[in-house]
Amino acid sequence: MASTTNEDASRLPAIDLEGLGLDVGGHLLLQHALVARPPGTRLAVHGRHPALAVHLRAWCRANGHGFDMAGTTPVIVRGSSDEDRLHGAERAGSALPGRVVEHADRRWGLAARGALVEPGGPALSVDWVDRDLVWADVAPRLYAQAAAGQWDPATAVDWDTRVELPGAIEDAVVQVMTYLVENEQAALVLPARLLSRLHPHFREVMQLLAVQVADEARHMEVFTRRALLNRTELGVSGVGGRASLQTLLDEPDFTLASFLLSVLGEGSFVDLLRFLHRHAPDAVTADVTRLAARDEARHVAFGVAHTAHAVERDPAFLTRLRTAVERRHAALVDTAGLNQRVFDSLVLIAAGSWQPAAIERGWRKVQQLQQAMDEGRRRRLAFIGFPDDEAAALAALHTKNFM
């Protein structure tokens, strides 16, 4: 490129780096001076750094700019590499609240929602990129509530409270806590799996699932800690219960998995936790079940809202939901259902003693709990869109293992 004269250089737009070298931040001033100028613009660079011209020539070559000398004054000729790099770039949707696209492009990768995405780079390996397959309008609000409602297992429960129960009732609590931990582990694994297959454009749903995983981790901790408060071993894990939970983990579809776990399973689980809180024989058991029930209610709210959203967009989706319930029922029809030890433990906890009249009351309360679970499932199914008679029939097909 031909040189200009010293006189020409004096008339060029210029920047003075003073003593700043390009190796200690001077390039930032150059980029700032060039950013608003069109390609082909000539910019004289003044400075006292002894290697300025050498460094500037190398910087121009690396960044797609031309380099010239106007006598002893280095000159940058702005190139078009920045514009070329962004040719074909597109926004990953909008960053404004409530602006969620119907279809998220896998080519956006992990770009923030609303970012300008340079073309190229690896496509994101995720399964769910369509809004209606994962979304619920209530998700942002539920996430805000979840973030504000986090609690610390070490301080939210008074673990120093003295708990002295009759041996059989303590054993019953341990058995129920063992059962709760088992169910919470399934309730942690499932959203964690869903989370990894979700496009991050739907970040509120992703954040909500992440908090749900954290919730279940806390529940596992406090239930285990309560079980070991006065014992050194946990209770029995039943084959039927594990088989029931495995059917949840085997469901590959986002909405069907959320429906089976949250609408049916966790919905019934909330009733169970509230029952345990109401009949808790000690303050620690009352606290851990109360805190867990509050979290689980939020999980149920998202599952119901998301499933209702899917049905509203496609009423035929009710058929898929019905099939999922019937398929799970068929898979579990030959299993024993709820661990008998768990059932008996619930009766004893509600009874509070071995007196025959107390045991009868405990038995009736557990029967009422199961009726309340069934009625709750029916209401949620009706809210989603099932006719009342079909909602009742499907509610009755839910696993006897509660979750």
Side-chain angles (χ1 to χ4, degrees), residues 88-138:
E90 62 177 284
R91 292 278 172 191
S94 170
L96 297 176
R99 302 284 185 87
V100 180
V101 300
E102 292 185 4
H103 179 84
D105 198 324
R106 291 183 176 87
R107 295 175 301 171
W108 294 345
L110 294 172
R113 192 163 75 202
L116 184 61
V117 183
E118 290 183 0
L124 199 60
S125 179
V126 293
D127 296 316
W128 297 305
V129 296
D130 294 309
R131 181 185 61 193
D132 290 342
L133 296 181
V134 301
W135 188 253
D137 290 337
V138 75

Side-chain angles (χ1 to χ4, degrees), residues 314-396:
D314 179 13
F317 198 80
L318 287 173
T319 301
R320 294 188 62 191
L321 298 175
R322 182 188 311 110
T323 300
V325 174
E326 293 171 346
R327 182 173 63 241
R328 189 179 186 210
H329 174 75
L332 297 173
V333 70
D334 294 327
T335 63
L338 185 67
N339 184 341
Q340 185 66 43
R341 290 180 176 86
V342 175
F343 182 90
D344 293 346
S345 295
L346 291 174
V347 171
L348 184 55
I349 289 171
S353 79
W354 286 110
Q355 294 297 318
I359 292 296
E360 182 179 5
R361 286 196 303 272
W363 177 277
R364 292 187 184 281
K365 288 176 181 177
V366 174
Q367 296 300 310
Q368 291 167 2
L369 166 64
Q370 292 176 303
Q371 293 170 5
M373 288 177 169
D374 183 73
E375 176 61 21
R377 290 191 297 269
R378 188 201 64 75
R379 287 197 309 270
R380 290 188 293 277
L381 288 166
F383 178 85
I384 287 168
F386 284 102
D388 285 345
D389 57 343
E390 192 170 358
L394 291 175

